[in-house]
């Protein structure tokens, strides 16, 4: 990863804002509405940032929104890049490098996910306590730039334990019955087969989705703190006798929207 490319992007962003953000928000499918709550927003289209890929998937706006949320200066990605769109993993994770270069030390990652765990329900929020990279690719593959991080980053606490506690407390404030579990990253874009979901259950997965893990690996490589929240949008394939659809995923995130907004805003407030 070329540091100059990162610097070019962060310089363009820094020129347009007065206060440096301290928290980065990566907003998943249907969850980009959180960025609409940011006060005095500076919006920068991905297409206007050198080095940024441009997002294509439905339900993703493709811009950074920088401003004040709950008294914290945040930089939100309204729309993220997915491996299944054809981006390389260094492109998928480029915004995380730029966040670090801007001085951000904490990343809040969110996603829509299918439930592998039979005891969860669509509309539940799940605190990600750990993950499984089920794709077989890693964003850190290739020469390591030691100015960005170590060659072999430790992933024992990929999701910062103190921030997990912070999230648990935040959920209590609103009586949210927060689920917890292991997020499995699959490349997509096809959803899983029932046999694959049975495999993920055996492997110890609780939720499955097509994002997040590359960004978290890079954030940890950059020694940033991470807190991750999945919005459970559907039971994974084969658990219920019904097909999966992207429409269902978007519909459920809409239903869970109020709870999700309250919860993530409370997490951000507590990061102050
Ligand atoms: N599988 C993979 N990705 C997903 C799912 C799913 O069931 N739901 C939302 N994103």
């Amino acid at each position: 990863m070329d540091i100059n490319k990162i610097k070019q992007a962060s310089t363009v962003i820094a020129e347009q804002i007065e206060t440096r953000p301290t928290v980065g928000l990566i907003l998943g499918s249907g969850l980009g509405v959180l960025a609409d709550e940011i006060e005095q927003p500076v919006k920068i289209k991905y297409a206007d940032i050198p080095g940024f890929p441009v997002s294509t998937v439905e339900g993703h706006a493709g811009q950074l929104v920088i401003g004040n949320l709950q008294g914290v200066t945040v930089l939100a990605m309204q729309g993220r890049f997915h491996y299944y769109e054809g981006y390389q993993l260094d492109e998928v994770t480029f915004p995380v490098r730029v966040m670090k270069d801007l001085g951000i030390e904490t990343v809040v990652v969110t996603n829509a996910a299918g439930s592998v765990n039979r005891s969860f329900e669509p509309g539940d929020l799940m605190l990600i306590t750990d993950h499984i990279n089920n794709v077989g690719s890693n964003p850190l593959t290739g020469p390591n730039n030691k100015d960005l991080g170590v060659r072999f980053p430790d992933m024992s606490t990929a999701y910062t334990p103190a921030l997990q506690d912070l999230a648990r407390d935040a959920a209590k404030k609103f009586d949210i019955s927060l689920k917890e579990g292991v997020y499995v990253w699959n490349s997509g874009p096809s959803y899983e087969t029932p046999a694959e979901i049975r495999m993920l259950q055996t492997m110890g997965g609780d939720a499955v989705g097509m994002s997040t893990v590359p960004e978290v690996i890079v954030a940890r490589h950059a020694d940033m703190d991470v807190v991750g929240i999945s919005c459970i949008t559907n039971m994974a394939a084969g658990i219920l006798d019904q097909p999966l659809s992207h429409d269902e995923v978007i519909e459920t995130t809409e239903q869970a929207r109020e709870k999700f907004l309250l919860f993530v805003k409370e997490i951000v407030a507590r990061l102050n």
Side-chain angles (χ1 to χ4, degrees):
M1 173 53 65
D2 179 3
I3 294 202
N4 287 328
K5 196 178 160 198
I6 300 168
K7 293 258 177 242
Q8 275 173 19
S10 65
T11 303
V12 165
I13 297 163
E15 278 167 1
Q16 299 181 53
I17 56 178
E18 277 169 20
T19 313
R20 287 286 176 131
T22 56
V23 172
L25 298 173
I26 304 179
L27 303 173
S29 299
L31 303 171
V33 283
L34 181 61
D36 299 334
E37 309 249 332
I38 294 173
E39 292 159 23
Q40 288 125 32
V42 172
K43 298 181 179 180
I44 311 176
K45 297 226 171 336
Y46 294 158
D48 297 332
I49 308 171
F52 257 61
V54 177
S55 169
T56 57
V57 77
E58 215 181 307
H60 290 253
Q63 59 182 1
L64 294 183
V65 184
I66 305 152
N68 178 2
L69 187 67
Q70 306 282 95
V72 178
T73 306
V74 301
L75 175 150
M77 288 182 69
Q78 203 169 30
R80 63 142 63 85
F81 305 106
H82 298 88
Y83 194 42
Y84 63 73
E85 291 176 88
Y87 300 116
Q88 299 302 308
L89 289 178
D90 59 349
E91 298 178 290
V92 169
T93 56
F94 183 69
V96 179
R97 296 289 184 200
V98 174
M99 286 181 188
K100 173 75 179 188
D101 200 56
L102 285 166
I104 288 172
E105 289 295 346
T106 306
V107 182
V108 181
V109 283
T110 66
N111 57 54
S115 188
V116 171
N117 186 320
R118 290 174 171 275
S119 76
F120 299 169
E121 289 172 15
D124 278 344
L125 299 179
M126 185 191 90
L127 176 67
I128 305 176
T129 55
D130 204 346
H131 73 221
I132 293 172
N133 178 353
N134 197 40
V135 171
S137 306
N138 190 298
L140 305 179
T141 303
N144 185 56
N145 185 332
K146 60 181 184 327
D147 293 331
L148 298 179
V150 298
R151 172 75 286 190
F152 301 109
D154 176 40
M155 293 294 286
S156 312
T157 53
Y159 299 82
T160 312
L163 297 186
Q164 291 185 41
D165 283 341
L166 180 151
R168 291 181 186 107
D169 285 342
K172 277 187 204 136
K173 177 169 173 184
F174 299 108
D175 274 329
I176 293 168
S177 121
L178 183 64
K179 305 297 188 282
E180 299 193 7
V182 174
Y183 177 89
V184 181
W185 175 41
N186 272 353
S187 68
S190 52
Y191 289 118
E192 297 72 26
T193 63
E196 286 165 343
I197 294 304
R198 289 193 296 275
M199 176 184 75
L200 300 188
Q201 285 166 336
T202 308
M203 272 170 27
D206 295 291
V208 59
M210 306 175 192
S211 68
T212 303
V213 168
E215 292 103 316
V216 170
I217 291 172
V218 166
R220 295 301 297 137
H221 183 242
D223 204 22
M224 297 157 95
D225 286 324
V226 173
V227 57
I229 309 295
S230 290
C231 177
I232 301 294
T233 54
N234 58 282
M235 299 312 285
I239 293 184
L240 303 176
D241 189 19
Q242 61 182 51
L244 273 55
S245 76
H246 185 60
D247 289 345
E248 179 192 5
V249 168
I250 294 297
E251 240 168 69
T252 314
T253 51
E254 273 165 21
Q255 282 159 19
R257 176 176 292 178
E258 290 307 313
K259 182 168 66 170
F260 172 81
L261 290 178
L262 268 180
F263 179 46
V264 180
K265 280 162 67 180
E266 183 62 23
I267 291 175
V268 171
R270 290 172 188 233
L271 291 172
N272 210 344

